Amino acid sequence: MNISFEGKRAIVTGARHGFGRAIAQAFAANGAQVFACDAVAEGLAETKKLCGDRCETAVVDVSDRKAVGVFVDRIAAGRPIDILVNNAGGVLGQVGRPMEEISPEDWQVIFNVNTTGAFNCAQAVVPGMKRARAGRIVNISSGAGLGISLTGIQAYASAKAAQIGLTRQLAHELGPWGITVNNVAPGFVRSNPTTERQWDAYGEEGQKRLVDSIALKRLGKPEDIANAVLFFASDQANWITGQVLSVDGGK
């Protein structure tokens, strides 16, 4: 299967490390012009260095609808975005706690990034995709959105499940314009400082239990997630929409 993105323009959010960086690198390596953004500047320079001349970076908070609009208007002037990867998300430094201890702010901030952020970005790129009568949107959720979160964070599991619902709804709304909307649901991957802390917290026995629960008996890599995204964004997936692909080594 020869996958090429020559002449395509892709936005990747949450791109300063982990999945986002791997996805940006994969698109750039396969010919796309990549616009990599994150709410935090630290790490974006390294992403650009690894991606090369095909990558531009920007600091954008996807939960800020106005900021997203300004960003997309700037890079899409005269030519629409072909591919949007909504990777920005995470637990924002939170840890699992009893629900009685969760403040409204703690709950909402995770939804703002993981679900509302995906909506904001899709809303900004869709007009151009409709004019082109083509486009690819790939949302990055989590196994937590299909089951429960290993972190125990209620808002995270709920926000990722909501993002999957958004994927399915937008697939039907946007299908008449040739726009596909799909979802990749990763399993546990050591991909950023948060997942490294989570891995360390499991201890040796907990780490073994986690790996033993995986059919392939090993953890995945960020590149495994990137490969799934490339497929959904490719011409080979032009009759696939509204789908959730678990990339988790087998559960």
Side-chain angles (χ1 to χ4, degrees):
M1 190 180 295
N2 183 23
I3 293 179
S4 173
F5 296 98
E6 289 289 342
K8 300 295 186 181
R9 308 171 85 231
I11 292 175
V12 181
T13 70
R16 73 186 182 100
H17 54 39
F19 297 159
R21 177 180 287 169
I23 293 165
Q25 284 184 261
F27 274 117
N30 285 276
Q33 176 67 37
V34 179
F35 301 93
C37 68
D38 202 290
V40 179
E42 182 183 0
L44 282 176
E46 181 66 16
T47 296
K48 177 170 175 53
K49 179 181 175 181
L50 292 169
C51 292
D53 293 339
R54 292 184 180 273
C55 181
E56 297 180 23
T57 62
V59 176
V60 182
D61 179 356
V62 298
S63 69
D64 183 337
R65 182 174 178 270
K66 183 177 179 181
V68 170
V70 169
F71 170 61
V72 172
D73 286 348
R74 176 177 65 80
I75 64 176
R79 185 178 168 192
I81 295 299
D82 301 292
I83 301 159
L84 167 66
V85 182
N86 282 312
N87 172 70
V91 301
L92 306 179
Q94 295 188 37
V95 296
R97 293 170 290 161
M99 66 178 304
E100 301 96 311
E101 299 178 13
I102 308 302
S103 71
E105 293 77 19
D106 289 340
W107 173 269
Q108 191 61 50
V109 71
I110 288 180
F111 266 84
N112 288 347
V113 175
N114 288 278
T115 309
T116 305
F119 179 85
N120 288 342
C121 292
Q123 189 177 54
V125 302
V126 157
M129 289 181 174
K130 282 185 172 181
R131 288 192 296 272
R133 300 196 69 82
R136 298 282 190 268
I137 299 174
V138 184
N139 296 323
I140 310 299
S141 60
S142 168
L146 294 168
I148 62 171
S149 173
L150 295 176
T151 67
I153 298 172
Q154 304 87 347
Y156 183 70
S158 302
K160 288 304 191 183
Q163 192 204 67
I164 290 170
L166 177 65
T167 298
R168 291 169 173 152
Q169 189 66 38
L170 291 183
H172 283 267
E173 178 179 341
L174 302 177
W177 285 272
I179 302 166
T180 68
V181 189
N182 289 292
N183 196 293
V184 175
F188 181 81
V189 177
R190 296 171 63 184
S191 61
N192 57 48
T194 298
T195 53
E196 285 298 324
R197 287 192 295 271
Q198 187 177 348
W199 176 252
D200 290 342
Y202 290 150
E204 187 174 342
E205 289 187 7
Q207 292 167 5
K208 185 178 185 303
R209 282 196 301 271
L210 176 59
V211 174
D212 284 345
S213 73
I214 299 170
L216 291 175
K217 306 305 177 190
R218 62 177 176 83
L219 298 181
K221 300 175 291 185
E223 291 77 15
D224 295 315
I225 310 309
N227 289 338
V229 172
L230 292 190
F231 172 67
F232 274 144
S234 73
D235 290 341
Q236 283 82 353
N238 64 8
W239 206 51
I240 300 172
T241 195
Q243 301 306 303
V244 181
L245 177 60
S246 294
V247 183
D248 56 13
K251 290 290 188 180

